[in-house]
Structures are given as C-alpha cells and as structure tokens.
Amino acid sequence: MKKFMTIAAILAALTMTVTGCSSNANNSSNTSDSSNVQDNSSNSSSEPESGAASGTESEGESDTDAEALTADQMAANALTAVEWPAMMEVEDAEMINSFFGIDVSLCDEYYISNQIISAQLNEVIILKPAEGKEADLQAQLDAHFEYIKNDAAFYPEQEISAAGAVMGKTDSGYLYLIVHKDGADAEAALMNNPPAEMPGADAGVDDGFGVGGDAAGMPLSIEMSDAAYGAVEWPAMQPVDDPEMIQSFFGIDSTICEDYYIANQIISAQLNEIIIVKPMAGSEADMQAQLDAHFEYIKNDAAFYPDQESSAAGAVMGTLDNGYMYIFVHENGAAVEEAVKAAISA
C-alpha cells in the first residue's frame, strides 16, 4: 500500500495527457471534420447547473462561433486550461455505460475521458443529446455527478478532485461534467474559440514502443502482445510508453530495453498487466531484479478486491527463448504464457 500511494503522489505531478480512439468516431487531431457532429446552431433556453460555460465568450468570440464548437474541441479547451494527470479517452459503449452510467446511444456526439492511474479521480464528459433524449441523458449525468461527489473518492487527492467537480450545459446544448480540483477553471475555458489543440493529438505509439527488432525475424514485443491478447479475455487495456510513468508505476527502467510492450488495465478495480521486455546486452541482471520486485508487489500487495486477487494469483513471470522477459497478470496467466511461447516458436 505504501508503494501504491508513493506512485500516486509521483504521478500526480506528471502532465502527460493521453488521447485514445475517439468515442464518437472523431479523430481527436481533426475534430472539425467529424462525420457525426450534428448542427449545433440552435440555442437551448435551459440554464446549466454550473453556469460558467453557458453564455461565456472568449475575447472576440461571437455566439455563432461558440455554438460551432464540437465535443472534442471543448474537451481540448478543458484539458489545456488546467494541469491534468495522464488521461485516456474512452470509446467503448459498454464500458461507458458500466463505468459512467451513460448510454451513448442517447447522444449525437460525445467525448469522455478519465484518469489512467486509479489513485487519481479525473474526468471530462461532454455530451450532445440526440433529439428528445436530453432529459434521459441529464438524469444519467446527474446520477454520475452524485456518485462523484459522494462516493467515488477514497484518497485525499480524489477527495479534492470530487470537491472541485462541476456539471452544466452550454448554450449550444451540450451537457458536461468535469472532475478536477480546478473544475471551475476548466469549465470557464470550455467555449474558448478558436479552440485549443487536443493534447497529445499528434503523439503516436511506435510498434513495440522500443527501438529494436530481431534481425533474425523473431517476433517483436508488439507481436507477442497480440498473442497474449488473443489467448484469453482481457478487460480494457491501455499501453503505457512514457518512461517516467513506466519507472514510477511498474518500477521498470525502459531505457535499458531494446524493445518493450507494457500495458495495464484502465479500470482501477481490475488488476491486469502485460509486460514484455528485451533488456540491452549487459542489463539482464538489472532488468530481472526490477521484474522480480514488481512481481513480488503484484503477488503480495497489489490486490484489494476479489477480481484483483484472482489476477494476482494467476500472474506468471519468466524468460523466453529469444531473450525477452515477461510478466502476465491475469487469472489465466499460464494460458497467456503458453500462447506467447507458441508464437515465438511458430
């Protein structure tokens, strides 16, 4: 638990922002051309619960310009107005319904993201209700806002974020919920026009994340991860490629790797990891020591919920014939291990 809280404190200082696949079939780096963005020119007479975004105009901004903003553009404004932890955009409808209680089939357009690290509590939710669905969608957002305010926080930083959370409605008819200690500041920036660029929109992920590859044609870590994902059913997983985050959260120095693939679960109540690393020549002992320490943490200290305990119990660690080292944290970790071994021998 001490390691977990130390990690949370370190990562709270990070300012890396992540943008994933677009929830509404929009590319975050080119939101203005989104194919499913609806005409936002009609104003709503309803007042927002927290009115900072409604009727707020940036210097030189007209009503028409404000109404033209999309959900992604408003999210970019919020995500650049204040300092956020590493965030992940969520696009899966079933996950959104389960984790946020929001039925995106009621939306014409939406953007939803939350924190990657479970010890934090941060969300950006922006929804454009479909015709006739505003009341239903507002009820769902009200319920989630009540949960954030009263039940979601377990750690001091989470409590601060919950206290700063804001909810409201823009003049252009979008509903929003922002969970951040400085939620009011993010809310005030929602309608800035021209909008900010989405943080990380141009950041790609290299195949394998590392710098190498096997000259003999052996599978890279990214290819081995495909075998791992195909072997068993996983929850929603997020690849992690930031060296500082990898060091802080997994205790692994990725700078001594020729190639690596590292991912963990998005939802905090789960405990799942795929770690596949190829240490540089001469760094094998150091990497093994780091993996040993992390594996011991997984086995003895990481699990707090029943599902996490079963994943920790099934976790496996080892070294492959091609020199790659691995940890698979899954209730059926042995099956993942066998699938990866089969992939490199095929």
Side-chain angles (χ1 to χ4, degrees):
M1 184 65 184
K2 181 179 179 181
K3 176 178 177 180
F4 183 82
M5 294 304 294
T6 301
I7 290 166
I10 294 172
L11 290 177
L14 290 177
T15 60
M16 184 188 80
T17 53
V18 180
T19 180
C21 299
S22 175
S23 316
N24 52 7
N26 293 342
N27 184 322
S28 296
S29 62
N30 189 18
T31 56
S32 62
D33 293 330
S34 173
S35 60
N36 67 338
V37 176
Q38 304 299 306
D39 181 6
N40 301 328
S41 60
S42 59
N43 285 339
S44 170
S45 59
S46 301
E47 292 295 328
E49 182 168 327
S50 179
S54 179
T56 299
E57 295 184 6
S58 299
E59 185 176 352
E61 175 188 315
S62 69
D63 291 338
T64 302
D65 288 339
E67 292 166 12
L69 293 177
T70 67
D72 282 353
Q73 290 171 327
M74 284 185 271
N77 286 335
L79 289 168
T80 53
V82 295
E83 183 176 312
W84 294 82
M87 299 285 283
M88 175 62 187
E89 187 175 353
V90 186
E91 65 167 345
D92 182 76
E94 185 175 355
M95 180 182 295
I96 291 171
N97 197 13
S98 298
F99 193 60
F100 302 93
I102 294 172
D103 179 3
V104 294
S105 69
L106 304 177
C107 301
D108 280 342
E109 183 199 350
Y110 61 92
Y111 175 97
I112 297 174
S113 66
N114 70 341
Q115 75 291 331
I116 291 177
I117 306 304
S118 60
Q120 298 160 332
L121 180 64
N122 296 95
E123 296 177 5
V124 176
I125 300 174
I126 302 175
L127 315 170
K128 177 68 179 295
E131 185 176 357
K133 302 299 182 181
E134 181 179 333
D136 292 339
L137 202 57
Q138 185 64 65
Q140 294 175 3
L141 206 61
D142 287 343
H144 186 62
F145 189 65
E146 182 177 357
Y147 166 73
I148 291 293
K149 284 292 192 181
N150 300 319
D151 299 302
F154 292 93
Y155 304 108
E157 288 185 5
Q158 291 179 332
E159 292 173 353
I160 295 171
S161 294
V166 295
M167 181 176 66
K169 178 183 175 182
T170 72
D171 285 344
S172 52
Y174 287 80
L175 309 178
Y176 62 85
L177 192 160
I178 300 172
V179 183
H180 191 283
K181 65 178 182 178
D182 299 318
D185 292 337
E187 177 186 41
L190 277 178
M191 304 308 296
N192 287 349
N193 208 356
E197 182 178 352
M198 180 68 76
D202 297 327
V205 176
D206 294 333
D207 285 351
F209 302 140
V211 295
D214 196 300
M218 293 295 289
L220 294 169
S221 60
I222 190 73
E223 296 168 308
M224 287 184 273
S225 74
D226 288 341
Y229 283 122
V232 296
E233 184 176 338
W234 294 84
M237 300 284 283
Q238 167 60 36
V240 184
D241 67 341
D242 180 75
E244 188 173 357
M245 180 175 290
I246 291 170
Q247 177 70 60
S248 299
F249 194 59
F250 301 92
I252 295 172
D253 180 5
S254 61
T255 66
I256 63 173
C257 296
E258 290 184 12
D259 178 36
Y260 62 92
Y261 180 92
I262 297 174
N264 67 344
Q265 76 291 332
I266 292 177
I267 305 303
S268 60
Q270 298 161 329
L271 179 65
N272 296 94
E273 295 178 3
I274 295 175
I275 299 175
I276 304 172
V277 297
K278 185 175 184 180
M280 294 178 178
S283 300
E284 292 86 357
D286 290 341
M287 180 56 65
Q288 188 62 65
Q290 294 171 14
L291 292 176
D292 286 342
H294 185 64
F295 191 67
E296 182 178 357
Y297 167 72
I298 291 294
K299 284 292 191 180
N300 299 321
D301 298 303
F304 293 92
Y305 306 108
D307 285 347
Q308 293 178 332
E309 291 171 356
S310 61
S311 293
V316 297
M317 178 177 67
T319 301
L320 298 167
D321 292 341
N322 58 4
Y324 281 80
M325 302 174 179
Y326 62 85
I327 293 176
F328 301 125
V329 183
H330 191 283
E331 61 181 353
N332 296 317
V336 178
E337 181 179 44
E338 289 304 313
V340 173
K341 287 180 178 179
I344 69 168
S345 62

